[in-house]
Amino acid sequence: METVSTSKSFGGIQGVYRHESRECASEMTFALYLPPQAEDGPVPLLWYLSGLTCTHQNVMDKGEYRRAAAEHGVAVICPDTSPRGADVPDEPDNWQFGQGAGFYVDATEPAFARNYRMASYIISELPELLAGRFPLDMNRQSIFGHSMGGHGAITLALKRPGRFRSVSAFAPIAQPSTAGWSRTAFEKYLGQDEQAWRAYDATHLIEDGFRLPELLVDQGDADGFLDDGLRPWLLEEACKAAGIPLTLNMRAGYDHSYFFISTFMADHIAWHAERLK
């Protein structure tokens, strides 16, 4: 693993690291913020999964998470959203598919199955890489994300009960198997059998019996993707039917951008920190 950069921030260290990934068969980059408390021993780990078109850089530069992470003594890891490189299949003119749009699935279609294994990368490979290299308490992990990353956070946690102590999301894609901006990607990654898509769809996973102890979601009501892509009411209906406590905050006037995310970032980190104690 290569250290790309380290910078001191709020008493802790913001690092960027690069490594060769066995799951994605490509070079992968991630950001990791270690709060000052990490100097005294292992700290809990909060995963942040980014949305379409993003890399680790977007939230690192615009998410404004370090002050709250330092205050609560929580490390924050920000992986990339997809495999990268000239040899990785891509559709450069399609921002909803390919590099930058891994959708946190393990692709099964032959053209993409070698590289697009973001679910296994997040759940298996990257934690193995972190353990022992950084002062992290891997028994205390939580997860959140934005948009495509909110979808990823919820689905990964639903399928692994007990792995994450808490789950939250900013403007998640609630039902990607039917949303206009994700359905095509699911078909390309997972094939035409829509039953296979249910494993990566939060509402369908809940319908199929998967559960979370609780869920926090923030959504801007001025989000341009609200009606076609996000549709939080579908997640609300699924949680209500399953008895999953959902706090859905509809934020008046907020859009889909990092202006929205950074406004409520500290609230989410505090919420996770309480459950990571």
Side-chain angles (χ1 to χ4, degrees), residues 17-19 21 24 26-29 80 82-84 118 121:
Y17 307 91
R18 183 183 297 128
H19 71 104
S21 168
C24 298
S26 69
E27 190 174 72
M28 298 293 285
T29 303
D80 202 346
S82 77
R84 304 280 175 177
M118 289 302 297
Y121 176 71

Side-chain angles (χ1 to χ4, degrees), residues 83-218:
R84 304 280 175 177
D87 295 332
V88 175
D90 191 21
E91 292 184 7
D93 296 327
N94 183 2
W95 64 275
Q96 297 171 333
F97 183 75
Q99 295 187 38
F103 277 95
Y104 305 100
V105 305
D106 282 347
T108 54
E109 287 297 282
F112 306 103
R114 179 173 181 266
N115 301 105
Y116 287 86
R117 295 185 51 80
M118 289 302 297
S120 290
Y121 176 71
I122 297 296
I123 289 298
S124 300
E125 181 178 3
L126 196 46
E128 292 171 10
L129 188 70
L130 298 174
R133 286 181 169 87
F134 298 98
L136 300 170
D137 183 351
M138 302 302 286
N139 292 316
R140 290 189 292 160
Q141 299 183 54
S142 291
I143 191 167
F144 67 151
H146 170 230
S147 192
M148 178 183 72
H151 136 74
I154 297 170
T155 57
L156 293 177
L158 277 167
K159 291 188 287 186
R160 292 158 185 87
R163 171 68 177 270
F164 301 103
R165 294 198 179 185
S166 51
V167 188
S168 73
F170 300 102
I173 305 174
Q175 194 177 87
S177 64
T178 63
W181 64 350
S182 49
R183 180 179 172 84
T184 300
F186 269 40
E187 184 172 356
K188 291 179 180 179
Y189 287 136
L190 303 172
Q192 296 185 354
D193 180 6
E194 297 187 18
Q195 286 299 309
W197 303 1
R198 297 180 72 88
Y200 298 103
D201 187 302
T203 59
H204 292 325
L205 284 168
I206 293 171
E207 289 173 2
D208 292 343
F210 294 87
R211 297 291 182 264
L212 296 171
E214 58 183 330
L215 180 60
L216 169 65
V217 172
D218 272 272

Side-chain angles (χ1 to χ4, degrees), residues 4-60:
V4 178
S5 65
T6 57
S7 301
K8 190 164 186 177
S9 181
F10 295 102
I13 298 296
Q14 176 65 70
V16 178
Y17 307 91
R18 183 183 297 128
H19 71 104
E20 289 293 330
S21 168
R22 69 166 188 265
E23 293 292 349
C24 298
S26 69
E27 190 174 72
M28 298 293 285
T29 303
F30 65 91
L32 174 66
Y33 177 71
L34 292 173
Q37 294 86 342
E39 295 181 1
D40 300 322
V43 295
L45 180 62
L46 178 58
W47 294 78
Y48 178 88
L49 305 186
S50 291
L52 285 161
T53 75
C54 291
T55 70
H56 68 283
Q57 191 88 33
N58 298 75
V59 67
M60 187 176 73

